[in-house]
Amino acid sequence: MFWTDSLHPSYLRFFIYNNMGVSAMDALATGPLLTAYALALGAPPWMAGALAGLPYLGVLMGVAGADLVQRGYSAKRVTFWFSLISRPFYLFCAFLACAAWWPNRPLWLLFAVGCCYLLGGVSIGAYYPWLKSLLPDDQIPSFVQYKYISSKSMYVVFTLVTVLFFFLVQTDGAKTPVWSYAPVFSLAGGCGLLACFALSFIPDARTEEERSAINWSVLRGVWSVPQNRRVFLLVGLGFFAVYYLVGFLPVFALQFAKISVAWLTVCSFGMQAVFLFSVPFWGILQRKNLVRALSVPFGLLCTAFVWLAGLSGVNGGGVWGTLFAFLLCGVILAGVQSGFDAFVLRQAPPRKSPVYFMFVSLVRLPAALGPVSAGACLHGIQKSFPAWSASLVWLGFFGAGLVMALCVLMYSLNIHFSEKQ
């Protein structure tokens, strides 16, 4: 692609191509579509929350990948092979859509998705040290911008494909047949395999470090830096609150707002489109003041919770009210994710980077706990207050999220003002 020609060395573009393939895979097999598939198989709320959290829980396995690199294993091989062996599980997910006779399909779906992301998570722990060793510092801003624009463009394209597909297969009652998820997850597996193929064109990591086990005192050293500690804590809490909302927004849309799966994919398409177009805006803010830029999306998160609490009183607000919530979440995700990526790539030390990115994997763990906690919260409200209407249940759910978002916002403002003094 001509627009990646400014990246030097030239093989950096294959990292971009890999991200594009992974984004296509994620567009087809994660997020709202995965939630819709689980609900179509009969998954309860807690299982929907667990499924929404698994892609982010897999990042925790990056600790194992970073440990392997620190012990001297090839970063390229760890990244490539663990990515490769995780992809065929998408084919099993596709099989479940056609196997109506298969017992406990929601549990098997949870198992298959878990294998995808736990194995793939190991590769992430090796991927970032590999990237860091090959990416010159002066290329970081361009690389991050190219990464998000290209990967989200691919996400948008494949989301649009699924929108058209589900509109074609839905029945007269706006119902989506379960079998229709089979070609979607099969295509996801194919895109994931192509993403692995792109990695084969990149040289292995350059490193001068001796092979050794992880020195846990280095982790304490990373945490002891005040700016690291503040930003990591902020982003960890922020990931929890953001994915508490994003993980269960599809459940709200399908079960309360009563929109179809086809319209849910439209909402997902809109969310990724605004993510893509807001990345340059966030980049401008991040160049001026990275910590201040991280506080802005948490203010928007409070707005999103207030909006959805209002929709709870008007039967979900229909397609357009739900679509606005998805669009707002797209802007929020772009701000948090691109800001955190820019921070860790700037702060990562040239030596001991596997250890540093191991710590980053731990910071991302709350992104997995957010949807899981959301599922537990929704299930707990339903069981504790059986007389409550659906409107009150969702009002309580979003009210709890608003309290969390306000706490994160106040903490981000505290960091901003303390650094100015």
Side-chain angles (χ1 to χ4, degrees):
M1 293 184 181
F2 67 90
W3 47 268
T4 61
D5 291 345
S6 62
L7 290 175
H8 299 289
S10 61
Y11 55 71
L12 291 175
R13 68 182 187 274
F14 289 103
F15 281 114
I16 301 293
Y17 300 157
N18 169 260
N19 287 326
M20 292 171 68
V22 171
S23 290
M25 178 183 72
D26 289 345
L28 295 163
T30 61
L33 277 179
L34 178 59
T35 302
Y37 183 24
L39 295 176
L41 294 180
W46 70 265
M47 192 177 295
L51 279 166
L54 273 175
Y56 312 105
L57 183 60
V59 176
L60 181 61
M61 294 300 294
V63 173
D67 185 43
L68 289 173
V69 174
Q70 184 68 22
R71 290 175 184 272
Y73 290 90
S74 163
K76 177 177 179 177
R77 291 181 180 179
V78 172
T79 303
F80 178 82
W81 286 108
F82 275 93
S83 295
L84 186 65
I85 62 178
S86 70
R87 308 310 190 207
F89 286 98
Y90 285 113
L91 301 180
F92 183 70
C93 294
F95 161 77
L96 291 174
C98 301
W101 47 269
W102 194 273
N104 301 316
R105 284 193 291 174
L107 285 174
W108 282 105
L109 178 65
L110 182 65
F111 167 77
V113 173
C115 290
C116 287
Y117 285 99
L118 294 178
L119 291 171
V122 177
S123 71
I124 293 174
Y127 172 88
Y128 277 103
W130 183 20
L131 171 62
K132 176 64 179 179
S133 74
L134 299 175
L135 180 62
D137 289 344
D138 62 348
Q139 295 286 293
I140 289 176
S142 297
F143 181 85
V144 171
Q145 184 171 358
Y146 290 153
K147 169 188 172 182
Y148 276 100
I149 291 177
S150 61
S151 61
K152 287 303 174 181
S153 295
M154 191 62 63
Y155 200 113
V156 166
V157 168
F158 276 83
T159 301
L160 181 58
V161 170
T162 58
V163 167
L164 298 175
F165 175 72
F166 281 118
F167 269 112
L168 286 174
V169 302
Q170 73 178 9
T171 61
D172 294 336
K175 299 293 184 181
T176 301
V178 176
W179 65 262
S180 62
Y181 293 96
V184 173
F185 275 79
S186 297
L187 182 57
C191 291
L193 291 172
L194 288 175
C196 293
F197 179 69
L199 296 175
S200 63
F201 294 95
I202 308 171
D204 208 342
R206 296 191 298 265
T207 178
E208 299 177 356
E209 296 182 27
E210 298 180 358
R211 299 185 179 190
S212 63
I214 290 293
N215 184 348
W216 295 100
S217 65
V218 177
L219 288 181
R220 290 194 296 271
V222 172
W223 181 255
S224 66
V225 177
Q227 187 182 37
N228 283 349
R229 183 170 61 252
R230 291 169 181 169
V231 173
F232 286 163
L233 185 56
L234 170 63
V235 174
L237 294 173
F239 274 150
F240 183 91
V242 169
Y243 286 100
Y244 174 95
L245 172 60
V246 174
F248 258 68
L249 189 54
V251 179
F252 174 80
L254 291 169
Q255 293 190 341
F256 187 70
K258 303 296 184 184
I259 69 174
S260 67
V261 174
W263 277 108
L264 179 65
T265 56
V266 172
C267 292
S268 180
F269 171 83
M271 182 170 69
Q272 300 306 323
V274 298
F275 186 115
L276 172 64
F277 290 116
S278 64
V279 166
F281 165 76
W282 290 117
I284 293 172
L285 288 182
Q286 290 157 11
R287 280 191 288 271
K288 292 180 178 179
N289 187 311
L290 185 54
V291 175
R292 182 174 60 188
L294 279 170
S295 67
V296 176
F298 299 127
L300 295 177
L301 181 62
C302 295
T303 304
F305 277 116
V306 171
W307 173 260
L308 286 162
L311 293 185
S312 301
V314 290
N315 296 322
V319 170
W320 301 113
T322 306
L323 175 61
F324 179 77
F326 272 86
L327 296 179
L328 193 54
C329 285
V331 177
I332 294 166
L333 284 170
V336 176
Q337 291 183 3
S338 65
F340 187 53
D341 275 7
F343 177 82
V344 298
L345 285 173
R346 289 179 192 175
Q347 297 295 113
R351 296 177 61 84
K352 301 295 182 184
S353 65
V355 179
Y356 181 86
F357 286 109
M358 174 185 290
F359 200 94
V360 170
S361 297
L362 297 175
V363 174
R364 294 181 187 274
L365 177 59
L369 300 179
V372 174
S373 299
C377 178
L378 184 62
H379 181 77
I381 293 173
Q382 290 173 338
K383 292 296 184 181
S384 301
F385 305 98
W388 279 17
S389 65
S391 294
L392 285 176
V393 169
W394 283 106
L395 181 62
F397 177 83
F398 292 126
L402 177 60
V403 172
M404 288 189 293
L406 285 170
C407 291
V408 176
L409 177 61
M410 295 301 294
Y411 183 62
S412 69
L413 293 175
N414 179 64
I415 294 175
H416 173 61
F417 288 117
S418 65
E419 290 193 350
K420 288 181 66 176
Q421 295 176 353

